Amino acid sequence: MTEASATQWIDARTIATSFHVRFAETDLMGIVHHANYPIWFEEARSAFMRAMGTSYALFEAEGISLAVSALDLRFLSPARYDRLVTIQCRLEKVQSRKLRFSYTVLDAETETTLAIGMTEHICIDAAGHAIRIPPVWYERFARIQ
Amino acid sequence: MTEASATQWIDARTIATSFHVRFAETDLMGIVHHANYPIWFEEARSAFMRAMGTSYALFEAEGISLAVSALDLRFLSPARYDRLVTIQCRLEKVQSRKLRFSYTVLDAETETTLAIGMTEHICIDAAGHAIRIPPVWYERFARIQ
Amino acid sequence: MTEASATQWIDARTIATSFHVRFAETDLMGIVHHANYPIWFEEARSAFMRAMGTSYALFEAEGISLAVSALDLRFLSPARYDRLVTIQCRLEKVQSRKLRFSYTVLDAETETTLAIGMTEHICIDAAGHAIRIPPVWYERFARIQ
Amino acid sequence: MTEASATQWIDARTIATSFHVRFAETDLMGIVHHANYPIWFEEARSAFMRAMGTSYALFEAEGISLAVSALDLRFLSPARYDRLVTIQCRLEKVQSRKLRFSYTVLDAETETTLAIGMTEHICIDAAGHAIRIPPVWYERFARIQ
C-alpha cells in the first residue's frame, strides 16, 4: 500500500495534511496554478475538522456555513505535478462570529515553503445572513485555540 | 469595445457561442486540460437557454435539475490559451424524462474542430429522484427539436 | 445575437469586462466558490492585455511569465449562477520587475460590489528566475499607469 | 493519524485509490460537479503509475505525453462532500500507440457505484505529433495488461 495522504496534529491547534499534486492543477507554466491554493486550504480545513473528530459536512447539514470573507496568499516557490505537498493549517482566532486560519504549504520531501496564506470566515445561515457560531460548534473551536 | 463572447442560432436547434480560452484552463502540456470541455459544454447549454429567452437558473429555481447522466468526448486537436473558441451546441433529442445535446468545439479563427461530444440529462427533483420534465419546460424544448 | 461578454476602458488604466457566471463555478452553498475569483481576475488581466492591443499569450511566447506572487481578496456579497458579472481591472503599479493590479467584481445589473482584490506579479524567465520586465513590455505597461 | 488516501492493487491490472471529496468539487445541486470525474480519473492514473513504482512526471520529463483522445462517463449516483470515494482504475488495453483505462467510482463506505468511465490515450511528442510509446514505457505497461 502506497500512502498518499494523511493528517496529523503537529501542535495543539495545527494539523498537517499531505497529498499529491494533481496533473489538472498545473498550468502552461508547468507549475501549479495559483487558484488551486485556496482549494488546498479548504481541503486542509476539511482535514482539520475530521482531525477534530467531526466534519464540516455536519456543520453544513445544520443549514449553516463558514463563508470565506477574506483570503490572503503569498507565493514563494512553485509547486509541481505529482510532488507530495504538506499543508499546515492552524486555527489562529475564534470569535463569536468569525474564525481565522493560517496556512503553510511545503514540499513534503524538500521541506521548501511553497506558499503561506490566511483565510477569515464568518458564520452565515441558509439565507446568507451573518450569525453567531452556534454554541456547540463555538466551544469545539474555542477549545482548540 | 472588444467583443469577447456572443451567442447566436445557427439553425433551428443549434446555437454557437464563443469565448476566449482562460489561462487557468491550460495544463503543463501547454494546452487546455480535457476536464474543461465538460464545463464549456455546460456553459454552451446555459447560453442555449439564454438564447431560448429563458435561463437554466429559472429551471433550478423550481427545485428541479437536468442532471448529467452521460458524457462522451473525443479530442481531435488541442485548444490553446487566449484563442477564441466557438462551441456549437445542438439539442438532439427531447424525451419526457431526458434530453440529449451534442457539441462541436472549434477554433473560431481557423475553424479547426478541436473536440466533439454529447451529454445526456435526466430531470430530477430536489430529493434527487428522476421525474418527468415539467410540461412548460418540456414544451419549450420540444418546440426546438 | 445575445451579447455575453465585452471589454472596455473605463479610465486610462482600468478596463471592465463582463461575463456570465458558469454553473461549474458554484458550490453546495448555492453561490460561486471563492477559488473562482482568482481565475476571474486572471481572465480580466487577459482582457486587459487584449484591450491594450496585445495578448498575454505573446508575452508567454517569449519564454517569460508574470507569475502571481501575492493575492488578496475580500468577499462582500455572493455571486450567483448565470448572473452577468463585471470585473473592473486596474493596473495600479509598474516597477522594473513587478506589476500590481487591483480588481472590483460587480453584479452587472444591480451594481452590487461582490468582491475586491489585488494581485502582484513578478517577471520570471523560463527557468523560473526573477528578471526585469523586457523593455518593450515595460514601456507598454508604463504608458498606461 | 487519520488516513485519508491510499492506493493498492486489487488485481494484476487494477488499482484502487481513495480520497475525500473536496468542498470545491460540489456545485449548487449539492453534489459533486460532473467535470471533476475526469480529474479524479487522471489522479487515479497518477496513482496507478506510482503503484507501478514510477511516476507520470517521469514520462512527461522525457518530453512525451499520454494525451487523452477519448473520454466516456456514465453517472449513476451522486457523490457528496467529505465522503471517502474509491476509484478503481484498470489498464484495459496496451497498443503500440495507445492505452485504454477503465474506471469505477465507489462510495468507500456504502460501496455504491457512483460512476463508471473509460479514457483512451495516444502518445504524443513535445510538438504534439502522435508517436509510438517508447519501448521502455511500452514494456512496463504491456507487462501489466
Side-chain angles (χ1 to χ4, degrees):
Chain A
M1 191 181 288
T2 314
E3 183 114 15
S5 165
T7 301
Q8 55 188 311
W9 292 99
I10 56 172
D11 69 34
R13 54 187 193 178
T14 312
I15 59 111
T17 189
S18 300
F19 46 80
H20 287 98
V21 173
R22 295 176 177 183
F23 191 89
E25 292 170 339
T26 61
D27 64 28
L28 64 79
M29 290 169 64
I31 60 174
V32 171
H33 188 269
H34 64 282
N36 290 291
Y37 289 79
I39 297 174
W40 290 359
F41 289 179
E42 184 175 70
E43 184 49 22
R45 293 193 301 278
S46 292
F48 193 101
M49 293 189 71
R50 290 193 295 263
M52 283 170 68
T54 183
S55 166
Y56 182 60
L58 297 174
F59 197 91
E60 284 278 338
E62 294 183 19
I64 50 178
S65 297
L66 288 167
V68 179
S69 53
L71 165 70
D72 289 348
L73 252 161
R74 297 297 174 267
F75 302 93
L76 307 177
S77 188
R80 292 183 192 280
Y81 165 61
D82 214 38
R83 298 290 297 179
L84 192 66
V85 292
T86 299
I87 320 286
Q88 295 175 348
C89 171
R90 181 179 181 84
L91 180 55
E92 288 286 352
K93 206 167 162 181
V94 179
Q95 288 176 301
S96 59
R97 295 164 171 277
K98 224 177 183 174
L99 296 182
R100 186 191 297 159
F101 289 92
S102 68
Y103 311 84
T104 304
V105 183
L106 303 160
D107 182 290
E109 196 189 319
T110 64
E111 297 194 336
T112 309
T113 303
L114 307 177
I116 55 171
M118 79 90 201
T119 55
E120 285 184 351
H121 303 262
I122 52 166
C123 191
I124 58 170
D125 63 17
H129 298 121
I131 56 166
R132 284 175 176 275
I133 299 168
V136 175
W137 287 100
Y138 178 82
E139 278 154 39
R140 281 180 191 142
F141 291 123
R143 210 177 298 146
I144 284 165
Q145 186 202 27
Chain B
M1 191 181 287
T2 314
E3 183 114 15
S5 164
T7 301
Q8 54 188 313
W9 291 98
I10 55 171
D11 69 35
R13 56 185 191 179
T14 312
I15 58 112
T17 189
S18 300
F19 46 80
H20 287 98
V21 172
R22 296 177 175 182
F23 191 89
E25 293 169 338
T26 61
D27 65 28
L28 65 79
M29 288 169 66
I31 60 174
V32 171
H33 188 269
H34 64 282
N36 291 291
Y37 289 79
I39 297 173
W40 290 358
F41 288 178
E42 185 175 69
E43 183 50 22
R45 291 194 302 279
S46 292
F48 193 101
M49 292 188 72
R50 292 192 295 263
M52 283 169 68
T54 183
S55 166
Y56 182 62
L58 297 175
F59 197 92
E60 284 279 339
E62 295 182 19
I64 49 177
S65 299
L66 288 167
V68 179
S69 53
L71 165 69
D72 289 348
L73 252 161
R74 297 297 174 267
F75 302 93
L76 305 179
S77 188
R80 292 185 191 280
Y81 165 61
D82 214 37
R83 298 290 297 177
L84 192 66
V85 291
T86 299
I87 319 286
Q88 296 175 349
C89 171
R90 180 180 182 83
L91 180 54
E92 289 286 349
K93 206 166 161 182
V94 179
Q95 289 176 300
S96 59
R97 296 163 171 276
K98 225 178 182 174
L99 296 182
R100 187 192 295 160
F101 289 93
S102 68
Y103 311 85
T104 305
V105 184
L106 303 161
D107 182 291
E109 196 189 319
T110 64
E111 298 195 336
T112 309
T113 303
L114 307 177
I116 54 171
M118 79 90 200
T119 55
E120 285 185 351
H121 303 262
I122 52 166
C123 191
I124 59 170
D125 63 18
H129 297 120
I131 56 166
R132 285 175 174 274
I133 299 169
V136 174
W137 287 100
Y138 179 81
E139 279 154 38
R140 281 179 191 145
F141 291 121
R143 210 176 300 146
I144 285 165
Q145 186 203 25
Chain C
M1 191 182 288
T2 314
E3 182 116 16
S5 165
T7 301
Q8 55 189 312
W9 291 99
I10 55 172
D11 69 35
R13 55 185 192 178
T14 313
I15 58 111
T17 189
S18 301
F19 47 80
H20 286 99
V21 173
R22 295 177 175 182
F23 191 88
E25 293 170 338
T26 62
D27 65 27
L28 66 78
M29 289 168 65
I31 60 175
V32 171
H33 188 269
H34 64 282
N36 290 291
Y37 289 79
I39 297 173
W40 290 359
F41 289 179
E42 184 175 67
E43 183 49 24
R45 290 194 303 279
S46 292
F48 192 101
M49 292 188 73
R50 290 191 296 262
M52 283 170 69
T54 183
S55 165
Y56 182 62
L58 296 176
F59 197 91
E60 285 277 339
E62 296 183 18
I64 49 178
S65 298
L66 289 168
V68 179
S69 54
L71 165 70
D72 289 347
L73 252 162
R74 298 296 175 265
F75 302 93
L76 306 178
S77 188
R80 292 182 192 282
Y81 165 61
D82 213 37
R83 298 290 297 178
L84 193 66
V85 291
T86 298
I87 319 286
Q88 296 175 349
C89 171
R90 182 180 181 82
L91 181 55
E92 288 286 351
K93 207 168 162 179
V94 179
Q95 288 177 301
S96 59
R97 295 163 171 277
K98 224 178 183 175
L99 296 181
R100 187 191 294 160
F101 289 92
S102 69
Y103 311 85
T104 305
V105 183
L106 303 160
D107 182 291
E109 197 190 319
T110 64
E111 298 194 335
T112 308
T113 302
L114 306 177
I116 54 172
M118 79 88 200
T119 54
E120 284 185 351
H121 303 262
I122 52 166
C123 191
I124 59 170
D125 63 16
H129 298 122
I131 55 166
R132 285 177 175 274
I133 299 168
V136 174
W137 287 100
Y138 179 82
E139 278 153 37
R140 282 180 191 143
F141 291 123
R143 210 176 301 147
I144 285 165
Q145 185 203 27
Chain D
M1 191 180 289
T2 314
E3 182 115 16
S5 165
T7 301
Q8 55 189 311
W9 291 99
I10 56 172
D11 69 36
R13 54 184 192 180
T14 313
I15 58 112
T17 189
S18 300
F19 46 80
H20 287 99
V21 173
R22 296 176 176 184
F23 191 88
E25 292 170 338
T26 62
D27 65 27
L28 64 80
M29 288 169 64
I31 59 175
V32 171
H33 188 270
H34 64 283
N36 290 291
Y37 288 79
I39 298 174
W40 290 0
F41 288 178
E42 184 174 69
E43 183 50 22
R45 290 193 303 278
S46 292
F48 193 101
M49 292 188 72
R50 292 192 294 263
M52 283 170 69
T54 184
S55 165
Y56 182 61
L58 297 175
F59 197 91
E60 285 278 339
E62 295 183 19
I64 49 177
S65 298
L66 288 167
V68 179
S69 53
L71 166 69
D72 290 347
L73 252 162
R74 298 295 174 267
F75 302 93
L76 306 178
S77 188
R80 292 182 191 281
Y81 166 60
D82 213 37
R83 299 290 297 178
L84 192 66
V85 291
T86 299
I87 319 287
Q88 295 175 350
C89 171
R90 181 179 181 84
L91 181 54
E92 288 287 351
K93 207 166 160 180
V94 178
Q95 288 176 301
S96 59
R97 296 163 171 277
K98 223 178 185 174
L99 296 181
R100 186 190 296 159
F101 288 92
S102 68
Y103 311 85
T104 305
V105 184
L106 302 160
D107 182 290
E109 197 189 318
T110 64
E111 298 194 336
T112 309
T113 303
L114 307 177
I116 55 172
M118 79 91 200
T119 54
E120 284 185 352
H121 303 262
I122 52 167
C123 192
I124 59 170
D125 63 18
H129 298 121
I131 55 165
R132 285 177 175 274
I133 299 168
V136 174
W137 286 101
Y138 179 83
E139 278 154 38
R140 281 180 191 142
F141 291 122
R143 209 177 299 145
I144 284 164
Q145 185 201 27

